[in-house]
Amino acid sequence: MANLHSFLFIVHIVFGGAALVLFWIPVMTKKGQLNHVQFGRYYRTAMYTVAGSGALMAIMVLLWPMTVKAQFFTSDRDPQAVIERIQVLWGFLLYLSLLSFASTRHGMQTLNAKADRSVLRKRHYLAPLVVLMLGGILLAVLGYVHNRTLHLVFGILGTVISISTLRYCFKPTIKPGEWVIEHLGAMIGSGIGAYTAFLAFGGRVIFADLGAYQMVFWIAPGVVGGIAANIIAQKYARQMGLAQRPSIK
C-alpha cells in the first residue's frame, strides 16, 4: 500500500511539473491555432492526472492511515491524535484535487459545448460541482470553527467557484461569445490552482524557517492570478462586445 502511494506521488509530481509548463503554451498562442488547441489538451491531461493521483493518494491515506503513513505512528505519539491531524490535512488535499478537476473540466467543456450548454446540465457533469459546493461550505465552517485559515479561504473559494459554474450552466441565455470568456476564466483558475500547490508545498520545504509567513505561498498565486485573469477577461470582453464581465474560475 505504501509503495503504491509512493508511486502515485511520483506520478503526481511529474505531471504537476508538466502542467506548470504546459499551462503557458495555450496562454501565449492565439485562440484556434494548432498549438493552442493541442497543448490545451495536453494541459488538460496533465491536470486530470494530477487531480486523479492526488485524490487517490488522499483516499488511501484517509482509509488506511496507519498503513500508508506508518512512519508517523511511533510509540511516543498518541495514535488517535496523529489520525486526526492526517484527516485534517488529507481531507483538505482531497478537496483541492476536486477543485482542480472541476476547474479544468469546466474550462474544456465550455469550449466543447460553446453556446449549446445542454451537456453542462447532465447529472454526471453537475454531480462533482454539487459535491464541490457542499464540501466547500463544510470546509469553510470547519475552518472558521477551528481557526484554520486555509480551510476557510479555500472553502469559500470552492463554494464561490461551484455556485458561479452552476449559474453558468443553468442561466437561461448567454451572450454570443460568452463561452470564450468562461473557458478562459476556468482555465486560468485551473492554472492558479496548479501554481498554488507548487508554491505552497515547494515553499514549505524551501522556506521552512518562515513559519506562519509560508501562508503567502498559498494566497499569492490566487491574488496575482486573479488580477491578471480579470484584466485578460476584460480585454476579451471588450473585443467581443460583452457588457457583463464574467466571473473567473
Side-chain angles (χ1 to χ4, degrees), residues 20 28 37 55 68 86 113 134 140 152 159 197 222:
L20 296 178
M28 296 299 183
V37 175
V68 180
I86 286 175
L134 297 177
L152 177 61
T159 302

Side-chain angles (χ1 to χ4, degrees), residues 25 71 78 131 155 199 205:
I25 299 177
Q71 68 272 25
D78 179 3
V131 174
L199 291 175
V205 175

Side-chain angles (χ1 to χ4, degrees), residues 14-33:
V14 170
F15 279 86
L20 296 178
V21 176
L22 290 169
F23 170 77
W24 291 103
I25 299 177
V27 170
M28 296 299 183
T29 55
K30 292 182 179 180
K31 309 297 179 289
Q33 287 185 344

Side-chain angles (χ1 to χ4, degrees), residues 1-7 60 67-69:
M1 192 70 69
N3 290 337
L4 176 58
H5 188 273
S6 297
F7 172 75
M60 289 175 63
T67 301
V68 180
K69 294 294 180 180

